[in-house]
Structures are given as structure tokens and as C-alpha cells.
């Protein structure tokens, strides 16, 4: 986990706000950069992912911004909803298929 | 089944007991991973199978941890002589791809182990 640093640890926004979660990594052998969403008592579920040859990817209300030179990527959630309240993990993947999870960001969206 | 199924969902063990955790991956999925998630932390890699072959076990924390997938489908994670630091949620995940770094990974809901 030391290869991946995720911030902030927790985040509280009002409904409609745009929470931003950041992830910094050290290993240049990562080839795939996903974000996972986890609800209490459930396993992580893939939310959105990006490959290193692309700088931004948008799927619905979720956007990943990727900065290869800075070895950072971030998740933006547009028009956040109370149902988005969950823990979010960045988890870059090595070429051997292993995911390296960050410590997680607990997001709370108030109605 | 529709998703990755894990059992038991909850397990309480006394220190020193052996436990076995089962994972039923999505039918036809070649790759299978085990991860350990301590309270308030992100999951950490334990081991990887391609069909019945255990190709990477570098994440297993000690020789008390053992995993198998004898017929290339169901997998069992066994922990011998459990200790309190083994308390965690054990997550199983599977993907269709033959190569471990291809395809979406689907996680089960996990088995929560509490060692007293």
C-alpha cells in the first residue's frame, strides 16, 4: 500500500457538490488505473478506469483525470447524490495483474 | 451463479483454531484472486490462480496461510493456528481473462473473520 497514497481520508459534501479524490503512485509499471466503490458489507466494485495513454475519461457523472508525468490520478464526481456515499479506493494494477489499493476515502453526501 | 459467492460470510474463531474460507467464482472465470482487508484499510493482495495453477502467492503473510483451487473453479483459503492479527475481511475476486492483467475484476462480498 505504500506504493499508493490516496487523499483525503474522508470527505463531506452537499448534494450537487463535486467531490475530488486524489491518488499518487510510485510504481511506473502500473498499466491500468481504476477506481473502486465499496458500500458497507459489500466487496469493492469497479466504478471507472483509465489507461495511461489517455489523460481524461468520463462515464456519466464520474471523471478520471490522469497525469502520467506527475504519477497522479483523480476521481471527480459531478452532481453528487446521497447514494454516492461510500468508500472509494484507487487501485492501480501492475502488469502481473495485482491491484495496489489506496487506504480509501470515505465520502458522505448530505441531502 | 450471478456473481462471486463467498462463505461463510462471518466466522468467529478462537486463537489457535484452523479456518477455511470458500470462494465460488463466476462460472467460466479463469483468474481468481484473494485479498485481505483489515478494518479501515484498503484490500491487500494475497494470492492469484490461473485455473488450478497458483501463479503468485507472494502476498500470503505467513506459512499459516494456504490457498488451493484444485479443479480450477472453487477456491479455498485456509488459515492454520489463527492469531488475532488475522482478523479481517477476506475478499475473493475473479475475472474472465486468462492473463491476470486483463478483464474486469469482480469481487465477492467477503468473509469477515474475527479471531478472539
Amino acid at each position: 500500500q505504500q506504493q499508493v497514497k490516496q487523499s483525503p481520508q474522508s470527505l463531506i459534501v452537499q448534494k450537487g457538490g463535486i467531490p475530488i479524490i486524489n491518488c499518487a503512485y510510485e510504481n511506473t509499471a502500473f498499466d491500468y488505473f481504476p477506481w473502486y466503490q465499496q458500500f458497507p458489507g459489500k466487496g469493492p466494485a469497479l466504478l471507472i478506469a483509465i489507461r495511461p495513454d489517455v489523460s481524461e475519461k468520463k462515464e456519466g457523472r464520474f471523471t478520471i483525470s490522469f497525469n502520467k508525468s506527475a504519477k497522479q490520478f483523480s476521481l471527480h464526481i459531478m452532481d453528487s447524490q446521497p447514494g454516492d456515499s461510500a468508500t472509494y479506493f484507487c487501485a492501480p494494477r501492475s502488469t502481473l495483474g495485482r491491484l495496489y489499493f489506496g487506504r480509501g476515502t470515505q465520502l458522505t453526501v448530505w441531502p | 451463479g450471478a456473481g462471486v459467492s463467498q462463505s461463510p460470510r462471518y466466522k468467529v474463531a478462537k486463537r489457535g483454531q484452523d479456518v477455511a474460507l470458500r470462494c465460488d467464482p463466476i462460472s467460466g472465470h479463469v483468474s481468481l484472486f484473494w485479498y485481505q482487508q483489515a478494518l479501515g484499510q484498503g484490500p491487500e493482495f494475497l494470492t492469484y490462480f490461473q485455473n488450478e495453477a497458483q501463479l503468485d502467492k507472494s502476498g500470503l503473510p505467513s506459512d499459516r496461510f494456504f490457498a488451493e483451487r484444485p479443479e480450477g473453479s472453487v477456491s479455498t483459503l485456509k488459515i492454520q493456528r489463527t492469531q488475532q492479527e488475522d482478523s479481517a475481511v477476506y475478499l475473493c475476486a475473479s475475472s474472465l481473462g486468462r492473463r491476470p492483467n486483463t478483464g474486469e475484476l469482480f469481487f465477492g462480498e467477503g468473509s469477515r473473520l474475527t479471531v478472539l
Side-chain angles (χ1 to χ4, degrees):
Chain A
Q1 281 190 339
Q2 292 181 352
Q3 296 196 41
V4 178
K5 294 183 180 178
Q6 184 176 339
S7 62
Q9 189 172 349
S10 64
L11 194 50
I12 300 173
V13 300
Q14 288 265 306
K15 178 183 175 181
I18 307 175
I20 300 173
I21 306 171
N22 300 297
C23 190
Y25 63 94
E26 297 176 358
N27 189 340
T28 56
F30 293 143
D31 66 354
Y32 178 71
F33 298 85
W35 286 94
Y36 283 83
Q37 180 188 57
Q38 185 175 32
F39 293 103
K42 303 294 185 182
L46 179 65
L47 187 64
I48 186 172
I50 198 168
R51 296 207 177 268
D53 54 347
V54 177
S55 61
E56 185 173 281
K57 182 177 181 180
K58 183 176 180 179
E59 287 183 356
R61 296 185 294 107
F62 303 95
T63 299
I64 293 182
S65 296
F66 182 75
N67 186 330
K68 187 174 181 178
S69 61
K71 291 189 282 187
Q72 295 178 347
F73 63 112
S74 61
L75 174 68
H76 301 229
I77 304 175
M78 309 299 288
D79 187 27
S80 57
Q81 301 296 312
D84 296 330
S85 298
T87 301
Y88 293 81
F89 294 95
C90 62
R93 187 180 69 187
S94 73
T95 52
L96 296 178
R98 187 169 173 172
L99 294 174
Y100 289 79
F101 283 82
R103 295 188 67 167
T105 296
Q106 189 167 0
L107 172 66
T108 302
V109 182
W110 289 103
Chain B
V4 178
S5 179
Q6 292 188 245
S7 61
R9 290 292 317 280
Y10 303 93
K11 176 69 178 178
V12 178
K14 291 183 178 179
R15 189 173 54 155
Q17 283 185 332
D18 297 349
V19 299
L21 308 176
R22 176 188 169 104
C23 171
D24 278 273
I26 294 172
S27 179
H29 277 199
V30 171
S31 294
L32 185 145
F33 296 80
W34 283 97
Y35 283 81
Q36 179 191 56
Q37 186 173 19
L39 188 64
Q41 303 293 318
E44 290 195 16
F45 171 83
L46 293 177
T47 188
Y48 163 69
F49 289 86
Q50 183 189 88
N51 293 310
E52 70 280 1
Q54 188 176 19
L55 299 185
D56 187 354
K57 55 181 181 179
S58 61
L60 296 176
S62 76
D63 58 7
R64 296 185 297 103
F65 286 71
F66 171 76
E68 61 183 4
R69 194 185 184 198
E71 297 179 357
S73 56
V74 170
S75 177
T76 303
L77 177 67
K78 298 179 180 178
I79 309 172
Q80 298 177 325
R81 303 181 304 281
T82 53
Q83 300 179 5
Q84 285 187 324
E85 59 263 32
D86 299 335
S87 296
V89 175
Y90 291 85
L91 295 163
C92 177
S94 70
S95 69
L96 186 60
R98 182 172 185 82
R99 291 169 57 194
N101 64 335
T102 60
E104 181 178 347
L105 200 57
F106 294 88
F107 282 85
E109 295 191 330
S111 291
R112 179 179 295 277
L113 172 64
T114 303
V115 181
L116 302 177

